[in-house]
């Protein structure tokens, strides 16, 4: 198992999470790719998106079924501007590559918002620190293990 996935597995154990890391045969850099390999709804995939909120990292765990409204997120966290982070910013904040960012196992805690839409699914799948790894969890457990704040982060459609 990749070193990043090992760190995530350790963090899962330390937080008493029920799911374990699953290695996928193909990389799953998108919610659609993960859902296809797992045989689940795309909305059950928790995308780990890192944003630059006035220079600080912000992790938004959003349902793969919709896009993040950065204006709404900025208002929620009290930031002047929230924008998608660069790959370098993501790697520095999480120690993990885009396409495999896990909701935990980072070098330092990151403020986290957890999309309330994920609560529509009994099982939620999140990245395991590498594009080939994921783990199953629940919405409630995801909020608990990340210390995240439940939030409506999606674009109104």
């Amino acid at each position: 198992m990749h070193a990043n996935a090992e760190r995530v597995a350790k963090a899962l154990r330390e937080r008493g999470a029920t799911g374990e890391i699953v290695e996928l045969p193909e990389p799953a850099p998108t919610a659609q790719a993960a859902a296809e390999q797992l045989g689940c709804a795309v909305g059950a995939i928790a995308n780990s998106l890192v944003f630059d909120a006035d220079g600080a990292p912000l992790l938004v765990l959003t349902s793969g079924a919709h896009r993040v409204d950065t204006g709404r997120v900025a208002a929620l966290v009290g930031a002047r501007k929230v924008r998608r982070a660069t790959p370098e910013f993501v790697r520095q904040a999480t120690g993990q590559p885009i396409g495999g960012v896990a909701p935990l196992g980072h070098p330092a805690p990151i403020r986290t918002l957890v999309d309330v839409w994920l609560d529509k699914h009994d099982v939620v799948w999140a990245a395991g620190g590498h594009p080939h790894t994921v783990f199953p969890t629940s919405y409630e457990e995801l909020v608990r293990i990340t210390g995240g704040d439940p939030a409506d982060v999606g674009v109104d459609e």
Side-chain angles (χ1 to χ4, degrees):
M1 191 177 323
H2 191 275
N4 285 346
E6 291 284 353
R7 279 191 288 284
V8 173
K10 181 178 184 230
L12 288 169
R13 288 190 301 273
E14 290 172 352
R15 289 174 173 86
T18 56
E20 295 187 14
I21 299 288
V22 173
E23 292 191 59
L24 299 172
E26 299 293 324
T30 66
Q32 185 64 46
E36 287 172 5
Q37 289 188 66
L38 293 165
C40 69
V42 73
I45 303 298
N47 279 335
S48 298
L49 304 177
V50 178
F51 291 89
D52 178 336
D54 294 339
L58 173 68
L59 178 61
V60 178
L61 303 175
T62 186
S63 167
H66 66 264
R67 294 177 300 127
V68 171
D69 182 331
T70 55
R72 178 180 284 174
V73 168
L76 287 168
V77 301
R80 286 187 334 273
K81 186 170 187 170
V82 170
R83 62 179 178 212
R84 188 66 71 98
T86 65
E88 296 79 19
F89 188 95
V90 172
R91 174 89 61 175
Q92 182 179 13
T94 68
Q96 301 163 2
I98 288 176
V101 173
L104 69 170
H106 312 133
I110 299 174
R111 184 172 186 183
T112 303
L113 299 179
V114 184
D115 189 352
V116 296
W117 279 43
L118 290 167
D119 196 22
K120 296 178 181 186
H121 303 277
D122 293 333
V123 177
V124 174
W125 291 88
H130 184 271
H132 276 273
T133 59
V134 293
F135 67 92
T137 187
S138 67
Y139 174 76
E140 294 81 15
E141 184 176 75
L142 194 57
V143 170
R144 181 181 63 77
I145 66 176
T146 63
D149 296 314
D152 183 1
V153 299
V155 172
D156 287 330
E157 295 180 8

